[in-house]
Amino acid sequence: MNAEEFWNLIERARDMAADLADAEDIAEQATVLLAGCTPQDILDAERVLRELTAASDRAPLWTAAWVISGGGPCFDEGFDYFRGWLIAQGREVFEGAVADADRLAELPEIRASAPEGIEPDGEGILGIAQDAYERATGAELPEDAFTFDHPAVGPDLDFDDRERMSALLPRLTALYPG
């Protein structure tokens, strides 16, 4: 499975999901689809997933997640879950946000959640290959199947500098004045 096939799988899972706002439903549908693939394809899907999370490990996206979470717990796992949610939104949204994190302000889900302070969470997406591999083979995904270099995040993050965040993400900080 290559990146194109992975994104097609996510789109099919989105088509099957009862509620596109429910990233966990999308994750479950993706797991079902992936479990029907060969073990090698599932391993390849895990590799693609890791590549996507690495590609989205960027300072502007961290800052966007911080702004959206209201300055809440957006470190480590919280940022991972945010990126899982972003993958569940599909290729166009994911790639657009990685290229320009302020584009997230255009998403209806982000606009609707701003007044209520609801944080996007897609924890389940991060485990689709692991879950699918176990369903398909009865064994756990081999931990040593991958070695992976994570790129540097980018410029230092300063979540106390609201002025810098506003300059970086003007539309998003306008939605979440924090």
Side-chain angles (χ1 to χ4, degrees):
M1 178 173 292
N2 60 31
E4 186 72 31
E5 293 165 328
F6 178 85
W7 283 118
N8 288 338
L9 178 114
I10 294 298
E11 285 308 314
R12 287 183 19 232
R14 289 176 55 78
D15 289 343
M16 294 168 57
D19 180 3
L20 289 177
D22 185 355
E24 295 309 307
D25 186 15
I26 296 167
E28 176 56 30
Q29 301 307 324
T31 300
V32 167
L33 291 169
L34 199 52
C37 295
T38 67
Q40 185 58 54
D41 280 343
I42 298 170
L43 289 171
D44 290 343
E46 176 69 9
R47 179 190 42 77
V48 172
L49 189 57
R50 290 180 186 207
E51 289 170 354
L52 293 174
T53 57
S56 61
D57 197 359
R58 302 285 181 255
L61 207 51
W62 270 89
T63 305
W66 176 266
V67 168
I68 291 167
S69 73
C74 198
F75 290 104
D76 302 324
E77 289 178 348
F79 183 54
D80 289 341
Y81 301 163
F82 174 80
R83 290 182 294 163
W85 172 85
L86 197 54
I87 290 167
Q89 304 314 297
R91 185 178 199 165
E92 184 179 334
V93 170
F94 176 85
E95 290 178 352
V98 170
D100 178 7
D102 204 33
R103 287 171 121 175
L104 290 166
E106 299 168 7
L107 296 179
E109 299 88 345
I110 295 297
R111 298 184 74 74
S113 68
E116 297 150 15
I118 299 169
E119 297 176 40
D121 183 348
E123 177 182 4
I125 288 290
L126 303 175
I128 61 174
Q130 294 167 346
D131 294 343
Y133 193 86
E134 190 168 324
R135 288 182 192 183
T137 67
E140 290 187 12
L141 190 98
E143 288 185 33
D144 63 349
F146 303 97
T147 56
F148 203 74
D149 292 329
H150 234 280
V153 171
D156 291 334
L157 302 172
D158 183 359
F159 296 122
D160 292 325
D161 188 347
R162 186 69 184 190
E163 188 174 310
R164 185 173 169 202
M165 286 191 287
S166 294
L168 180 64
L169 305 166
R171 294 177 292 168
L172 204 51
T173 54
L175 278 176
Y176 293 87

